[in-house]
Amino acid sequence: MLDIRVNGSSQTVAEVIRSVRDVPARVIPYAASTAMTRVASLAAKTELPAAMRSSFDRPTRWTLNSLAIEPATRDKLSARIFVKNEAAGGVPQENYLLPGVEGGVRREKGFERALRYRGLMRAGESAVPSSSASQDAYGNVRRAIYSKLLNSLGTRGSPYFVGAVGVKKTRGIWERGAFRRYIGKKKIRSVRPIFLFTQKRPVYRARLDFAGVAEMTALKNFGPEFNRAAAAILSRPR
C-alpha cells in the first residue's frame, strides 16, 4: 500500500506547536488538524502530481488524479495521503505506481496469466510489448489490443500467432500477412512482433519519492497553514 501520514511526530509539526505563544491551548488541536489536512491536500493535488510529471513519461490523468486524503481531526492529529485502488475496468492505480515508488520486479499481468492458462506462454516467461504494439497518446499499449489478441489467437484466419521466429527463434506474439518486404525484386510476406516473450521478469527503477515529496510539503507549508487556521478560528465571534 502507498500512503504517508502528516502527524505530530513530524519535526516541523511538533516544533510549530511548541513555539506557539499567543494561541490559546483550546485552539491548537483545531488549527493543527486543519493545517495537516491542508498540507495533505496540497501534496496530493499539486506537489505529488507535479513530481509524477517529472518522474514518469506522460502520466495519464487517471494516474495524476490517483491520490486521496484522509483528513486529520482534533482527536487524531494525523492526515493520511494514499493511492486509490480503483480499477474502473482497468488496472488499479496502486498496481503500477507502487513499482515506480519502490522499484523491484514487475508483478505478473492478467494478460500473461491468460496466455499461460491457454498454454501459449511457458512458465517463467513474461510478455514485453514491441514497438509494433499499438500505443495511446501516453505511450501505453492500448487496452483494446489485449482483448483483441486473446480473442484472435488460435482462431482460423487470425493474423496473430504465438511462435518462435527468426534465426534466434525468438518467442512471442507475431502478426503475419499485412506486411511485405523485398528481397531483390521479389516481394515476400513478412511478420512483425507485437509482444516478445522473455525469461527475465521486467524490473522497475524507483523514480518517484512519494514520502519525500509529502514530507517536504509539510516542512514548507505546515507553519503558515497553522497560523492561518489559528487566526481564522480566533477571528470568529464567540
Side-chain angles (χ1 to χ4, degrees):
M1 174 182 290
L2 281 177
D3 65 11
I4 187 72
R5 293 182 182 274
V6 178
N7 54 49
S9 64
S10 171
Q11 183 180 7
T12 184
V13 172
E15 287 180 350
V16 168
I17 293 176
R18 282 199 302 268
S19 68
V20 169
R21 292 290 182 270
D22 301 324
V23 177
R26 63 178 176 79
V27 172
I28 292 177
Y30 295 99
S33 63
T34 299
M36 289 176 189
T37 300
R38 288 174 179 172
V39 165
S41 180
L42 177 64
K45 294 181 180 180
T46 303
E47 300 301 328
L48 280 164
M52 290 178 191
R53 291 187 180 94
S54 299
S55 302
F56 301 142
D57 179 23
R58 292 170 289 171
T60 65
R61 186 176 301 177
W62 175 250
T63 299
L64 296 173
N65 294 332
S66 63
L67 302 178
I69 70 166
E70 180 183 309
T73 67
R74 58 161 292 185
D75 299 315
K76 181 180 68 68
L77 293 180
S78 175
R80 174 175 168 242
I81 308 166
F82 62 95
V83 178
K84 304 170 189 175
N85 207 26
E86 301 172 354
V91 179
Q93 298 101 315
E94 189 177 77
N95 285 13
Y96 55 83
L97 277 176
L98 187 62
V101 173
E102 298 183 349
V105 177
R106 170 174 69 72
R107 68 175 66 184
E108 185 180 57
K109 295 184 176 182
F111 177 63
E112 293 168 325
R113 286 193 296 273
L115 291 173
R116 211 178 319 279
Y117 177 78
R118 292 169 60 174
L120 299 175
M121 272 184 66
R122 297 170 181 168
E125 287 184 330
S126 297
V128 179
S130 78
S131 59
S132 301
S134 179
Q135 299 180 351
D136 60 22
Y138 302 99
N140 302 313
V141 176
R142 296 184 184 277
R143 292 181 185 177
I145 192 65
Y146 295 107
S147 57
K148 181 178 181 179
L149 290 173
L150 291 174
N151 290 333
S152 298
L153 287 169
T155 62
R156 179 175 296 180
S158 171
Y160 302 106
F161 68 96
V162 171
V165 174
V167 176
K168 295 183 178 180
K169 300 298 181 183
T170 303
R171 281 179 44 76
I173 300 175
W174 301 79
E175 185 176 8
R176 65 160 72 89
F179 315 98
R180 293 175 173 82
R181 61 189 177 92
Y182 288 88
I183 297 180
K185 294 183 178 181
K186 185 178 180 181
K187 183 189 294 186
I188 63 172
R189 289 185 179 276
S190 185
V191 297
R192 65 177 182 178
I194 305 302
F195 282 86
L196 296 174
F197 296 166
T198 174
Q199 286 289 338
K200 187 176 181 180
R201 183 65 62 86
V203 176
Y204 290 109
R205 175 175 57 87
R207 292 181 289 173
L208 176 64
D209 187 1
F210 186 80
V213 172
E215 183 177 351
M216 288 302 299
T217 304
L219 287 170
K220 182 179 179 180
N221 295 280
F222 179 79
E225 289 295 351
F226 177 88
N227 292 331
R228 186 158 69 96
I233 294 170
L234 292 171
S235 67
R236 296 171 187 167
R238 299 182 62 182

